[in-house]
Amino acid sequence: MSVDKNTYFAYRSFWPEIEAMKKFRECGIDTFTFMVSNTDNSLGVPYTKYPPVWKWNNIYDLDAFDRQVDDILKAIPDAKLMCMIDLNTPHWWTRYLGAFGVKYDSFYELGKISNSQTWRQDTSEYMQTLLKHAEEKYSDNIVAYILGGGGATEWHDRSRGEESIYRSTAYRQWQIENGKTPTDIPAQTVRDSGSYDFEKAYVDTGSYYNGIDPTGCYDQLFPNGAGLLRTPEKNQDALDYWRFCNEFNADTVEFFLGKAREIIRPETELGVFFGYCIGHWTMVSSGHLAYEKLLESPELDFVMAPIDYMGRGVGQGSTSMTVRESIRFKGKRMLQEMDQRTYTSNRNLADFIELSDPLKNNAKEIEWQDTTDSKELTKKFSLASDGIWKNDEEIVAGMKRDAAFCLINHDSLWWFDMWGGFYKGEKVFSTLKQLKQIWDEQVEYSCAEVSEVLMVEDPDNMYLLNDMDSRCGTFHNKTKDALSTIGMPYTVCSFNDLEQLDMERFKTVIFCHPFELTDKHNDVLNRLVLKDGRSVLWLYGPGIVNNGKWEPVNVKKVCGTDFKTEGVNSVNMTGWTSIYVHDPLTLTPAGMRTICENSGCHLYCSKLRPVCANSRLVSVHTAIAETLEIKLVREFGKVTELYSGKVWENTGCVELESEGPGSFLLLLES
């Protein structure tokens, strides 16, 4: 574990955007991330502009690494560097003696190769050689290393649970260690299907789910639908296998963290992308569900994720794809990756690749529908125009909103200038300079949590979901989307965090995945949650899996409402209020706001707008010209809007006026 704990405000690009780095340095930003990669990205072109370091077996071009670092230090001698190391297998390694199922591409087939001792040895030897060199030559500048692997270098396992000799061996060992009889990996139709809820009328086109198939083959394989939910009674083989896949993926990441820690200085930090459990894609097969296990690693300092794709547009509320309370309770920190597209973003990735521009195409929303046209599939990568900042005013408002979100939550951040051109112009850079000044002034203050709304993720229950069903992600996606603009702050925890949270302050608790309520669940619920006049919102069917079996009649016993009852249903229980919503699409921001208001939660904003707050700071965001009334939790001697400098004295209520897209950050002082 490192000695010092940093909160980063940094810049990142795949490419050597030296002139942009200089502009960021002029704004006071001194921390820069660079990437060392030997592989291609998901579009089939090299991640970086520098040649590979890992050339062949035990042959490394460390001069290529030096050129990349020296280019940055020549322009910015005092730069603090975060070095991201892509651990995915180079093309030559996958091909070299790779016949008959003994070599795989870790970018797309991480789970199939991760138990290969040859892969682990070769990759860790490359990593340690690079780290030794970096530590010897650049220790004055490098403050952290980020280890990347799997899909998008974010430790996604994109192999859909496919067999390999390595995976079969590891699975049998896992079964033995867990007191089970060793068996083969479940067949594809077993591991990709559920046994209940074959509804096909509803398709969530806004969520990227793992069942997307350009050829239509999955529809032939599962003509009646794949089924939304599994039960231990009918699907124990699949449940065991997917749990193994997620746990082994966490073990793989921890293996490389340990190998890195053998080399680097104690004060140098280690981070990884991990724990994407509330993003717009699904989670079971991608390998991130065992995030609590990885967070136990003593070698890990921080985890990272891109800011959620569905909430990054102006007017929406930025949210993390990770479970922040779990990260905090495990003694780790969060780094939010701000990779929002802007209207100035470079779209030319190579001489022959230009991403389509959704603004010119007037694309309003993403629909991840099947298509056999590769050109059309490429357009999906460009994303819809709703998430793009369309002018300087939107960029400024978005950056202020997102910086405030991280500052209030005490998260690190970096501005990801992915392929260059994301940040341009005097307005943008003057805003960056102001944001960094405010960050430096405020980030060290210790602030109390004030959120009264709690969203609960349950990774154990997520295994019951079949992510071949497009509804799989709606349980957290629709909840999060509704919460993000209700005009009050909220936080997210794992079910296992409830024992550590100060539950007294929470007046609304939302269980996104309450499918199976075991004795352990019920004990925690009865002791800590179902009391004190609290409102508890259940999605779909609390306790519908009872003693391992599908029992819809048990839902009413838990929440007082019959399974599949439409709408928002409220029942007064003994000492608490039960609210049942079967279909997550029912959860609108207005409806969620009403639920929370009725529970007694403090409403900060007079309109449905994103609000983030702690005991010292309150942020508010809007997409339009308007006047917003902000009601504080009490009267304060001085309230300062930090972006404008406007001051109010002896008040518990302020009015904020925007001329268009705008963000506000209030400093509350007694």
Side-chain angles (χ1 to χ4, degrees):
M1 181 69 75
S2 65
V3 176
D4 298 318
K5 295 296 181 184
N6 303 308
T7 305
Y8 301 106
F9 190 105
Y11 171 93
R12 181 196 177 193
S13 177
F14 284 132
W15 292 354
E17 297 292 325
I18 301 300
E19 293 306 312
M21 290 181 180
K22 289 180 181 177
K23 294 288 290 184
F24 270 74
R25 187 67 190 95
E26 291 172 4
C27 295
I29 297 160
D30 62 359
T31 305
F32 301 88
T33 303
F34 67 98
M35 184 179 188
V36 185
S37 176
N38 309 287
T39 58
D40 293 344
N41 61 27
S42 58
L43 296 182
V45 296
Y47 262 119
T48 74
K49 295 289 189 180
Y50 293 91
V53 173
W54 191 3
K55 307 292 286 188
W56 188 245
N57 294 313
N58 306 113
I59 297 177
Y60 311 110
D61 182 5
L62 295 172
D63 288 340
F65 175 82
D66 289 347
R67 285 198 296 277
Q68 185 167 191
V69 179
D70 291 343
D71 283 350
I72 298 173
L73 294 181
K74 183 178 179 180
I76 310 170
D78 65 342
K80 298 176 183 177
L81 300 177
M82 304 175 77
C83 174
M84 183 169 179
I85 304 175
D86 178 5
L87 298 175
N88 283 315
T89 48
H91 184 64
W92 65 262
W93 189 96
T94 304
R95 286 297 179 91
Y96 173 67
L97 299 179
F100 307 110
V102 295
K103 291 286 189 74
Y104 298 95
D105 174 12
S106 63
F107 188 91
Y108 280 136
E109 301 175 297
L110 177 62
K112 295 171 70 173
I113 193 65
S114 56
N115 190 45
S116 163
Q117 297 310 302
T118 301
W119 176 75
R120 288 193 174 211
Q121 178 177 318
D122 289 358
T123 306
S124 60
E125 183 175 297
Y126 155 68
M127 180 189 70
Q128 288 191 327
T129 300
L130 185 65
L131 288 173
K132 287 177 183 176
H133 177 76
E135 289 288 275
E136 290 172 1
K137 193 165 184 179
Y138 300 104
S139 60
D140 288 344
N141 297 93
I142 294 178
V143 296
Y145 296 95
I146 295 101
L147 308 183
T153 67
E154 297 170 50
W155 296 107
H156 294 153
D157 180 5
R158 295 180 175 173
S159 66
R160 287 240 35 98
E162 293 172 354
E163 294 180 344
S164 74
I165 55 172
Y166 310 114
R167 187 173 240 164
S168 295
T169 302
Y171 181 46
R172 284 174 173 262
Q173 182 60 38
W174 181 91
Q175 289 174 307
I176 292 171
E177 292 172 355
N178 286 273
K180 300 176 181 290
T181 302
T183 62
D184 287 339
I185 289 172
Q188 183 176 36
T189 53
V190 174
R191 64 177 186 262
D192 280 359
S193 63
S195 293
Y196 297 93
D197 194 341
F198 291 87
E199 173 66 50
K200 292 187 71 177
Y202 166 58
V203 177
D204 179 16
T205 58
S207 293
Y208 184 95
Y209 74 104
N210 298 317
I212 291 175
D213 163 34
T215 67
C217 283
Y218 268 114
D219 286 337
Q220 299 176 39
L221 193 61
F222 302 108
N224 297 317
L228 177 62
L229 280 156
R230 305 182 174 105
T231 67
E233 179 188 30
K234 290 191 175 183
N235 309 100
Q236 191 62 56
D237 288 350
L239 292 171
D240 285 346
Y241 181 63
W242 286 121
R243 185 177 292 274
F244 151 76
C245 288
N246 281 267
E247 291 181 358
F248 197 81
N249 197 39
D251 287 339
T252 300
V253 179
E254 188 168 13
F255 168 82
F256 285 104
L257 288 169
K259 287 293 183 180
R261 188 60 71 188
E262 291 175 2
I263 304 299
I264 66 176
R265 293 156 289 145
E267 67 271 19
T268 310
E269 297 198 324
L270 286 174
V272 296
F273 286 93
F274 211 81
Y276 298 17
C277 285
I278 40 180
H280 79 301
W281 53 69
T282 52
M283 52 268 164
V284 180
S285 64
S286 62
H288 277 218
L289 272 190
Y291 60 90
E292 292 172 294
K293 177 181 176 65
L294 182 63
L295 290 171
E296 295 282 359
S297 171
E299 317 303 345
L300 179 66
D301 293 292
F302 59 92
V303 294
M304 301 175 295
I307 207 73
D308 182 57
Y309 290 94
M310 304 306 288
R312 54 177 55 184
V314 170
Q316 299 170 309
S318 288
T319 53
S320 176
M321 287 200 275
T322 60
V323 183
R324 66 177 304 268
E325 296 295 343
S326 295
I327 296 169
R328 181 169 66 92
F329 284 133
K330 299 294 185 183
K332 314 304 181 187
R333 303 188 322 284
M334 182 66 208
L335 188 154
Q336 307 287 0
E337 178 172 88
M338 303 301 176
D339 61 349
Q340 294 88 336
R341 271 61 166 182
T342 68
Y343 78 102
T344 62
S345 301
N346 172 48
R347 313 193 75 80
N348 295 300
L349 271 62
D351 293 339
F352 48 88
I353 296 181
E354 181 177 358
L355 296 178
S356 60
D357 188 345
L359 296 178
K360 293 180 180 178
N361 296 338
N362 198 30
K364 293 299 182 184
E365 62 181 23
I366 309 168
E367 289 191 2
W368 296 101
Q369 295 172 331
D370 297 341
T371 175
T372 55
D373 188 331
S374 290
K375 187 175 181 180
E376 288 300 311
L377 285 171
T378 302
K379 288 182 180 179
K380 305 295 186 186
F381 186 83
S382 299
L383 304 183
S385 60
D386 282 351
I388 295 179
W389 296 341
K390 302 177 184 64
N391 49 52
D392 286 353
E393 287 71 30
E394 288 197 356
I395 295 175
V396 167
M399 293 179 70
K400 288 180 176 179
R401 175 198 66 190
D402 294 344
F405 171 78
C406 292
L407 180 61
I408 288 171
N409 288 314
H410 213 73
D411 295 339
S412 296
L413 67 85
W414 66 35
W415 304 101
F416 192 5
D417 187 14
M418 200 173 293
W419 297 295
F422 281 48
Y423 305 99
K424 287 184 175 180
E426 181 180 347
K427 288 183 179 178
V428 172
F429 283 109
S430 63
T431 299
L432 269 170
K433 184 175 182 179
Q434 182 189 36
L435 292 177
K436 184 58 166 64
Q437 290 173 340
I438 293 172
W439 183 276
D440 290 342
E441 293 168 359
Q442 302 296 331
V443 73
E444 295 302 325
Y445 283 96
S446 177
C447 304
E449 301 277 346
V450 298
S451 56
E452 298 173 317
V453 182
L454 179 64
M455 172 176 161
V456 183
E457 296 282 285
D458 189 348
D460 285 331
N461 262 308
M462 289 185 208
Y463 286 110
L464 299 178
L465 286 167
N466 175 23
D467 60 10
M468 287 299 297
D469 190 296
S470 68
R471 294 170 292 163
C472 180
T474 60
F475 298 100
H476 51 256
N477 278 335
K478 302 307 177 185
T479 307
K480 171 199 61 185
D481 293 346
L483 285 171
S484 65
T485 57
I486 60 172
M488 60 184 76
Y490 72 98
T491 191
V492 185
C493 77
S494 302
F495 190 91
N496 290 330
D497 298 328
L498 293 173
E499 295 272 15
Q500 301 180 71
L501 274 169
D502 173 17
M503 290 301 297
E504 289 188 9
R505 84 168 193 265
F506 294 110
K507 298 175 181 178
T508 303
V509 179
I510 304 157
F511 290 100
C512 301
H513 311 96
F515 316 123
E516 183 174 31
L517 301 178
T518 63
D519 290 343
K520 175 185 174 183
H521 283 89
N522 286 318
D523 174 63
V524 172
L525 289 172
N526 291 325
R527 284 192 295 109
L528 302 175
V529 181
L530 308 181
K531 55 187 292 190
D532 300 332
R534 187 174 289 121
S535 291
V536 177
L537 172 59
W538 316 90
L539 293 187
Y540 188 78
I544 196 166
V545 179
N546 190 30
N547 294 318
K549 299 179 181 180
W550 182 259
E551 291 187 4
V553 295
N554 196 51
V555 172
K556 187 171 185 178
K557 296 177 183 178
V558 174
C559 68
T561 305
D562 288 322
F563 177 56
K564 282 193 174 181
T565 301
E566 296 181 356
V568 178
N569 304 274
S570 180
V571 177
N572 291 324
M573 309 294 272
T574 304
W576 60 285
T577 300
S578 177
I579 301 171
Y580 172 71
V581 173
H582 174 256
D583 184 353
L585 285 177
T586 306
L587 292 171
T588 64
M592 185 69 84
R593 177 181 172 116
T594 298
I595 290 171
C596 295
E597 271 194 289
N598 291 341
S599 303
C601 299
H602 178 77
L603 183 62
Y604 282 79
C605 187
S606 57
K607 297 181 181 179
L608 288 167
R609 299 293 179 264
V611 169
C612 190
N614 60 30
S615 60
R616 180 179 172 84
L617 298 167
V618 176
S619 71
V620 186
H621 171 68
T622 180
I624 61 176
E626 62 180 346
T627 299
L628 298 172
E629 183 180 70
I630 307 303
K631 183 180 179 182
L632 305 175
V633 293
R634 63 178 177 85
E635 184 175 297
F636 287 87
K638 183 179 180 183
V639 178
T640 306
E641 202 290 298
L642 293 176
Y643 297 142
S644 65
K646 185 175 181 179
V647 175
W648 298 263
E649 294 184 348
N650 300 316
T651 184
C653 184
V654 301
E655 283 193 351
L656 302 175
E657 295 184 4
S658 66
E659 298 179 354
S663 297
F664 306 90
L665 181 59
L666 302 176
L667 171 63
L668 314 178
E669 298 175 286
S670 296

